[in-house]
C-alpha cells in the first residue's frame, strides 16, 4: 500500500464510512429543486382573463348569428365570469343531452376563453341538435369578432363553417321525401 491509501486507525473515522445527512450546499441545490415544468404543475392554477382585441360595435357586446337546419341562434359575448345562458336558462339546464353541452363548451376550450367570457344566447326554431349547432356557429363568429387572432383555431376546428344540410322536402304522390309506394309488376 502507498502512503496515500493508509488504513484508518481504530479511533479515527473516515469520511466515507460515516453515515451523514445530506447537506444543502450550493452544489446540491440545483438537484434538490424541482425542474421548472414541475413547479408550474404544483402552482395553483389561476383563471386567465382574455382581453378583447377589438371594440364591440355597440360598445358592450360582440355578436354572432348562427344557423343550422331550421334553428337560429343569436349569441352575445362580453368579458366576465364565465356564465353561459341560453334563453334565460343555464346551459346545462337548457341542454339535457351531455353531447350538446360538450360540443358547445368545446368551442370555448379550444380558444382558451372558458371561464373568462359571459355568453348570452337567444335561440329559436328547430330542435335541440339544430339549436346546438347554431349556437356553435354563432359563438365561433362572435369569438372571431372578439379576437381576430382566434380565426385560425376556429376555422381549423370547423366552428366558422355553416352546415348546409336541411330536411329534404316531401314529394307529391309519395309517402315521404324518399320513400316510395311498393312497386307491383302485375
Amino acid at each position: 500500500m502507498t502512503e496515500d491509501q493508509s488504513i484508518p486507525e481504530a479511533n479515527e473515522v473516515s469520511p466515507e464510512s460515516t453515515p451523514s445527512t445530506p447537506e444543502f450546499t450550493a452544489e446540491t441545490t440545483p438537484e434538490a429543486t424541482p425542474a421548472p415544468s414541475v413547479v408550474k404543475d404544483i402552482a395553483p392554477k389561476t383563471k386567465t382573463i382574455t382581453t378583447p382585441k377589438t371594440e364591440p360595435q355597440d360598445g358592450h357586446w360582440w355578436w354572432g348569428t348562427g344557423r343550422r337546419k331550421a334553428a337560429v341562434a343569436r349569441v352575445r359575448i362580453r368579458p366576465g365570469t364565465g356564465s353561459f345562458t341560453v334563453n334565460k336558462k343555464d346551459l346545462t339546464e337548457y341542454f339535457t343531452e351531455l353531447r350538446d353541452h360538450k360540443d358547445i363548451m368545446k368551442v370555448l376550450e379550444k380558444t382558451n376563453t372558458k371561464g373568462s367570457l359571459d355568453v348570452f344566447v337567444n335561440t329559436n326554431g328547430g330542435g335541440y341538435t339544430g339549436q346546438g349547432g347554431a349556437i356553435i356557429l354563432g359563438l365561433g363568429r362572435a369569438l372571431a369578432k372578439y379576437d381576430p387572432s382566434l380565426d385560425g383555431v376556429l376555422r381549423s376546428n370547423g366552428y366558422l363553417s355553416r352546415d348546409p344540410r336541411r330536411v329534404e322536402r316531401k314529394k307529391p304522390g309519395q309517402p315521404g321525401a324518399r320513400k316510395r309506394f311498393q312497386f307491383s309488376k302485375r
Side-chain angles (χ1 to χ4, degrees), residues 77-98:
I77 62 172
R78 69 174 177 202
T81 60
S83 68
F84 203 113
T85 308
V86 180
N87 290 349
K88 299 180 182 175
K89 293 182 182 178
D90 188 47
L91 176 68
T92 55
E93 187 181 337
Y94 188 79
F95 286 104
T96 56
E97 289 288 324
L98 187 61

Side-chain angles (χ1 to χ4, degrees), residues 22-168:
E23 296 180 28
F24 293 104
T25 61
E27 295 173 15
T28 60
T29 308
E31 296 169 347
T33 58
S37 63
V38 176
V39 173
K40 283 183 182 178
D41 294 339
I42 295 171
K45 301 207 179 205
T46 58
K47 249 195 268 186
T48 56
I49 298 174
T50 58
T51 56
K53 305 292 189 247
T54 61
E55 283 294 319
Q57 289 181 348
D58 64 355
H60 299 91
W61 304 93
W62 285 269
W63 288 83
T65 303
R67 294 178 187 87
R68 182 160 193 272
K69 295 184 177 180
V72 178
R74 290 172 298 284
V75 180
R76 301 177 293 160
I77 62 172
R78 69 174 177 202
T81 60
S83 68
F84 203 113
T85 308
V86 180
N87 290 349
K88 299 180 182 175
K89 293 182 182 178
D90 188 47
L91 176 68
T92 55
E93 187 181 337
Y94 188 79
F95 286 104
T96 56
E97 289 288 324
L98 187 61
R99 167 186 45 109
D100 295 329
H101 179 251
K102 283 185 176 182
D103 290 345
I104 292 168
M105 293 308 288
K106 199 176 287 186
V107 179
L108 297 174
E109 290 169 2
K110 294 274 186 178
T111 57
N112 294 326
T113 54
K114 185 177 179 181
S116 63
L117 293 175
D118 289 339
V119 182
F120 299 91
V121 180
N122 288 324
T123 182
N124 61 356
Y128 288 113
T129 303
Q131 287 181 356
I135 291 171
I136 290 170
L137 178 61
L139 187 56
R141 287 178 174 175
L143 284 169
K145 290 178 186 174
Y146 173 77
D147 186 358
S149 65
L150 297 175
D151 190 70
V153 175
L154 293 167
R155 197 165 296 284
S156 65
N157 288 299
Y159 299 136
L160 295 178
S161 301
R162 188 198 189 295
D163 190 350
R165 296 177 294 175
R166 294 186 63 98
V167 177
E168 188 175 339

